[in-house]
């Protein structure tokens, strides 16, 4: 039987690996679904939800931007899908209160400080975007 | 009197033993950190390999785009050198060998007429280069022991900016690679333009067997991928540097503990001799005194 092996990896650790029925995410060109026997593909993933359908239900991951590669595994009949993300987490593990606090802190600092240097500003915008994504994904 | 010397020796032994306690504790701490930092290298491996695999795949799909992205210009007017060392000393040759290699590299580049902008990671670097009259443009400190990906990202974005702006044509890295627990090697390598990962390092079991689809197009993908790959390479260098640091420190502190043991033994031997000497002298004096009394009778 054709199976799909999914790996979701971050630089700090492999977040999740296992067999799945399908993987759904959004790239810069739109939503896509990867099923077993998918053709070899390399692409990007825009920040958002990555869903993995497994035999025991659907797993949701919050991915803050990354890349994916799909290809045939050395094992015949197995398709491997690897998601590489700088930052990613299980949606069930998102701390909503913390994300809310992070969002408010970042917003407050962005509006209250007039002359931010570029690096700090980019950092604040980044953490604001991450907090907003976490909240959006968790509220789904 | 000889008792004075004995007291001095006793004090020295005590100080050697106190030092030994410290070195022993540092040895044990470093040993526990080795395992942890090795585990972090292992945890990083899937990501790094996945990144290299994607780059290879993209590069082999569109060699023209790859050549544009991955080729070093013949003439390098300006280059960035990043040297990664530790925040702390007492780690044997770990800091000094990477610093010396960095120093050599900078001199070599300057000799070739390339102007060098120096960036460093680790508290030990700025003082070294300042002493040698080299200006460090920016030094990152505070995370050499336990680097996080966010740290790597910060370093990467600082280094990528001048490269993207065209101010430098090359970014080089000098760091200690953790080959195994018994061997750490200082290496210099090129970070930017990206180096095509060699066959050795990449597991080619996935893909590469036919047509691969790319979304977005390869050229755009490669240009977006470059900064991510830089982060990944810097992060792995930081992780390996941390592991090498702990290994080197463990070894240095084990040697220091052994030396302290030996010194303590030598000193206590000298002290015992001194004590015996003083006892002998005392007996001689008593006997001599008794003899004198008897003969005077």
């Amino acid at each position: 039987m054709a199976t799909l092996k999914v790996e979701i990896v971050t630089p700090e650790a492999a977040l999740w690996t296992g067999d799945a029925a399908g993987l759904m995410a959004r790239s810069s060109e739109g939503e896509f679904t990867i099923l077993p026997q998918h053709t070899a593909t390399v692409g990007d993933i825009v920040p958002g939800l990555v869903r993995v359908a497994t035999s025991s239900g659907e797993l949701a991951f919050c991915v803050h931007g990354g890349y994916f590669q799909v290809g045939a595994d050395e094992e015949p009949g197995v398709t491997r899908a690897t998601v590489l993300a700088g930052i990613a987490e299980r949606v069930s593990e998102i701390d909503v209160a913390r994300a809310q606090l992070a969002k408010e802190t970042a917003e407050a600092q962005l509006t209250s400080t007039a002359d931010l240097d570029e690096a700090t500003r980019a950092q604040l915008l980044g953490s604001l975007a991450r907090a907003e994504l976490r909240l959006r994904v968790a509220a789904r | 009197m000889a008792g004075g010397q004995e007291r001095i020796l006793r004090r020295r032994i005590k100080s050697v033993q106190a030092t030994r306690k410290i070195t022993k504790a540092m040895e044990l701490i470093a040993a526990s950190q080795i395992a942890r930092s090795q585990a972090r290298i292992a945890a990083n491996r899937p990501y790094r390999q996945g990144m290299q695999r994607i780059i290879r795949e993209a590069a082999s799909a569109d060699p023209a785009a790859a050549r544009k992205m991955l080729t070093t210009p013949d003439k390098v007017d300006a280059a960035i050198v990043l040297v990664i060392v530790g925040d702390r000393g007492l780690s044997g040759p770990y800091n000094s060998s990477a610093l010396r290699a960095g120093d050599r590299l900078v001199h070599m580049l300057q000799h070739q007429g390339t102007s060098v902008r120096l960036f460093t990671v680790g508290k030990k670097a700025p003082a070294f280069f300042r002493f040698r009259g080299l200006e460090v443009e920016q030094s990152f400190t505070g995370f050499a022991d336990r680097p996080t990906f966010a740290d790597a990202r910060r370093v990467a974005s600082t280094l990528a900016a001048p490269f993207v702006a065209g101010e430098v044509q090359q970014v080089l890295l000098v760091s200690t690679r953790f080959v195994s627990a018994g061997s750490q090697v200082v290496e210099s390598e090129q970070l930017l333009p990206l180096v095509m990962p060699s066959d050795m390092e990449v597991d080619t079991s996935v893909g590469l067997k036919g047509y691969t689809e790319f979304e977005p197009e390869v050229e755009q993908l490669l240009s977006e991928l470059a900064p991510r790959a830089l982060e990944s390479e810097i992060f792995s260098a930081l992780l390996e540097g941390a592991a090498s640091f702990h290994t080197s420190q463990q070894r240095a502190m084990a040697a220091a503990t052994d030396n302290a043991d030996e010194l303590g033994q030598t000193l206590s031997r000298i002290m015992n001799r001194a004590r015996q000497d003083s006892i002998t002298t005392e007996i001689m004096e008593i006997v001599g005194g008794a003899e004198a009394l008897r003969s005077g009778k």
Side-chain angles (χ1 to χ4, degrees), chain B residues 162-198:
Chain B
F163 181 79
V164 172
E167 294 164 29
V168 299
Q169 291 83 41
Q170 202 179 22
V171 178
L172 298 162
L173 166 75
V174 177
S175 71
T176 312
R177 287 286 164 190
F178 187 84
V179 182
S180 72
S183 145
Q184 295 90 40
V185 197
V186 176
E187 263 174 27
S188 48
E189 59 205 288
Q190 179 174 310
L191 287 175
L192 287 176
L194 290 181
V195 182
M196 178 92 143
S198 71

Side-chain angles (χ1 to χ4, degrees), chain A residues 42-114:
Chain A
V42 171
D44 59 353
I45 291 179
V46 294
L49 202 60
V50 171
R51 290 176 296 156
V52 179
T54 68
S55 51
S56 55
E58 191 186 84
L59 299 171
F61 297 90
C62 179
V63 171
H64 301 266
Y67 296 86
F68 72 92
Q69 183 189 23
V70 184
D73 198 66
E74 58 224 318
E75 220 179 302
V78 176
T79 312
R80 207 155 87 177
T82 311
V83 173
L84 300 171
I87 305 169
E89 64 249 324
R90 287 285 286 273
V91 170
S92 54
E93 281 162 12
I94 289 177
D95 185 340
V96 175
R98 203 179 133 200
Q100 186 68 42
L101 185 70
K103 183 186 164 194
E104 279 157 19
T105 326
E107 270 171 350
Q109 282 186 30
L110 277 168
T111 48
S112 66
T113 325

Side-chain angles (χ1 to χ4, degrees), chain A residues 7 9-14 27-30 32 38-44 64 67-74 80 82 84-87 123 130, chain B residues 40 43-44 46-47 50-51 53-54 57-58 147-150 153-154 203 205-207 209 211-217 220-221 224-225 228 235 239:
Chain A
E7 302 174 289
V9 264
T10 69
E12 315 255 2
S27 85
S28 58
E29 312 210 322
F32 64 89
H38 194 283
T39 180
T41 310
V42 171
D44 59 353
H64 301 266
Y67 296 86
F68 72 92
Q69 183 189 23
V70 184
D73 198 66
E74 58 224 318
R80 207 155 87 177
T82 311
L84 300 171
I87 305 169
Q123 219 173 353
R130 280 196 297 277
Chain B
R40 296 189 72 206
N44 171 246
Y47 183 85
M51 197 52 103
R53 225 160 50 208
I54 291 184
E57 191 121 354
T148 65
F149 189 62
R153 192 165 254 190
R154 217 172 49 196
D203 138 39
S205 58
V206 177
K209 285 185 189 119
Y211 295 101
T212 300
E213 281 178 18
F214 291 92
E215 51 181 282
E217 291 305 309
Q220 195 193 337
L221 191 74
E224 284 171 15
L225 212 51
R228 301 287 90 75
F235 187 51
L239 288 180

